[in-house]
Amino acid sequence: MFIIPFGAGVWMAFHDYFFTAPGVSVPHPFVGFDNFTDVLGEEKTQRAFANLGLFMAINIPLTVVLALALASALNAATHWRGFFRVAYYVPYVTASVATLAVWLFLFNGSGAVNNVLGPWAPDPSWLANKHLVMPLIAVYVTWKQLGFYILLYLAALQNVPKELHEAALTDGAGRWQAFRAVTLPAVRPVTSLVILLSIITAGQIFTEPFLLTGGGPSGASLTPALLVYQRGIEQGEPDAAAAIGLILVTGVLIIATVARRVMERD
């Protein structure tokens, strides 16, 4: 289910490939790295990967900080703990189409957010503003995925012995110092996992820009995954799309490997 389509995609990336009618056999000559050099030289591809970099720079730190902070607060709560666990997790299990409809209602030109802001509303509006649209999508994805990461951190926090915190407080450490000395080292493996999963999720981002903006305005929310769809399906250039996809997979693997080595080193 995975290896065969992936292998076919790799083969397409190195050949002159195009769709034909069923049963029609045409030659697909080997072109080496021509597809890669062609797509990398295009401004649209460069813009898509730059957008992805901006998305990661916002989404990954925000996910780690908010997930750990909310999990710590939930771990210390004595009342309504079960309710908050469910409340945090609901956006994660809700279909993106439904939650994106809510964000469209909130952030379109005449949406609820602009009505509240009044004269302080951005112009152009959020989804039509090339400077705001990608950060807005990054915030949305952070909110959508947060419940899953909160549960990961909560499971790790519940395995931290309370005696360690009590010993740190007894030795004169403040709550922040105890958090840095005890909690952060204890949840470091989970933090590594959260960062790894966030990188993978970022590389796959397609639904949000596709439904919210279609990649606009002027390519400001275009992502590599959305570009693969546009080139391969809409424009009928599967060889170029496969090359972009292979570049994306390679880049995500490199970033994930570097992040894992940095987080898991002694």
Side-chain angles (χ1 to χ4, degrees), residues 170-252:
T170 302
D171 290 340
R175 291 191 177 276
W176 173 244
Q177 291 175 319
F179 180 81
R180 290 181 57 188
V182 177
T183 303
L184 287 182
V187 301
R188 189 171 182 177
V190 174
T191 300
S192 177
L193 176 61
V194 169
I195 292 175
L196 178 64
L197 293 176
S198 297
I199 292 171
I200 295 173
T201 300
Q204 297 174 340
I205 181 173
F206 167 83
T207 305
E208 293 78 8
F210 178 73
L211 293 180
L212 282 174
T213 63
S218 302
S221 62
L222 183 67
T223 63
L226 179 55
L227 184 58
V228 167
Y229 169 78
Q230 291 178 346
R231 296 293 296 270
I233 305 300
E234 295 182 343
Q235 300 174 19
E237 299 177 353
D239 48 358
I244 297 170
L246 195 55
I247 295 170
L248 175 62
V249 169
T250 304
V252 168

Side-chain angles (χ1 to χ4, degrees), residues 135-146:
L136 181 65
I137 292 175
V139 171
Y140 165 81
V141 174
T142 301
W143 167 80
K144 181 77 167 61
Q145 303 288 332
L146 202 58

